Amino acid sequence: MEKIKLGIVGFGFMGHCDADMMNTFDEIDLVAVADTNPDQLKDAPEGVETYANIDEMLANADINVVMVSTPNPSHPEMVKKAAAAKKHVICEKPAAMSIAEYDEMVAACKENGVLFTVHQQRRWDKDYRIMKEVYDKNLVGDMYIIKSQLYGVNGNMHDWHIYPEMGGGMLYDWGVHLIDQMLDMVKSEVVSLYADVQNVINENVDDYFKIILKFKNGVTAEIELGTYYLTPKRAWFIGGKKGSAIIDGFGGEGKIVRTAHLLENVPGKITMTAAGPTRSFGPPEPGLLSEEPLPEVNVAHRNYFEHFLKAFNGEEEIIVKPEQVRRVLRLMDAVRESAKTGKSIAFEE
Ligand SMILES: NC(=O)c1ccc[n+]([C@@H]2O[C@H](COP(=O)([O-])OP(=O)(O)OC[C@H]3O[C@@H](n4cnc5c(N)ncnc54)[C@H](O)[C@@H]3O)[C@@H](O)[C@H]2O)c1
């Protein structure tokens, strides 16, 4: 197996995370890091070359893969330069802030015969993979709704994330991952979408969004994120005709719940609740509901690089494919359009 000799451009938060990850691989050597801010290079690992910019780093003939971890607007320039230097490229998400720029990046990699992929490592998140198993194995029968929710309490966004021109805001941040996961799970065309995007406590960038996707196979998906939602949560819900699957937490804690009166039209029993008498929303009768564990999965973000190593060696096809990344970017454009007009948008695949 040929070794990856990696150069990271942009040695900030993500650059450091990735450098730490590379330490855990015998088959990947971190050769160099480049950053325009010299302070960021001070804690570069011993033996790793440091450069003041990507051009100097690309002159290092040892490097065969470049990881682009600079802020969002610089991704197109970095990717095109790396491709021209015949280095394979892993780009941070969002790959680009416009489809036109994205197409140029992909074309540059194609022309130079190098691999191009995007760091969508959240396809290996445990909570997501458990729900993907529920979906793939049809564990709750025909599905009518899938919800993916992420709520945090901190509200504030930091550094360049507060500037729209830098690709700030939560849509470009977690939004890319949450949309990518949903499109990866529901393998069907998106027919239409409706989105609400708000700046709750950040003046210039979005910090709340709700996206509703209608898929051709009948599934409706809802993705909701709030950074100022004072009940932190990472939750999933899949509603099917043979059960409900629920997750609360990145660790994948949750259950599948089934009912003894499956799809039967049970005669209404009037129950007194705090909301008054009800037939549909009273507590379940004893024995009506049963619980099952969720499927077990064994995944970690390390799997992203394990897979890339195989793709680099021609043993696997790239999993995060350029056309899938393009679809997410197109969908994000439609999300912004829907939020601006307040109308649902037909989506042409
Ligand atoms: N995949 C993920 O889960 C994930 C998580 C966080 C961030 N990201 C992405 O990673 C990228 C970087 O985000 P971050 O949070 O690490 O930002 P950061 O600000 O912490 O780091 C960016 C670094 O790039 C350097 N830089 C800026 N312009 C440069 C240039 N032209 N040439 C060389 N270096 C330059 C900065 O000095 C800084 O050190 C963003 O695209 C972000 O969306 C991805």
Side-chain angles (χ1 to χ4, degrees), residues 12-14 35-36 40 69 72 75 92-93 121 160 177:
F13 166 72
M14 212 51 201
D35 202 294
T36 44
Q40 296 287 62
S69 305
N72 303 340
H75 293 172
E92 265 308 340
K93 46 56 52 179
Q121 83 286 13
W160 54 266
H177 286 302

Side-chain angles (χ1 to χ4, degrees), residues 94-96 98-99 102 324-333:
S98 80
I99 297 286
Y102 180 72
Q324 296 172 337
V325 173
R326 191 177 196 276
R327 189 172 174 228
V328 172
L329 293 179
R330 279 194 62 231
L331 206 100
M332 300 230 304
D333 282 349

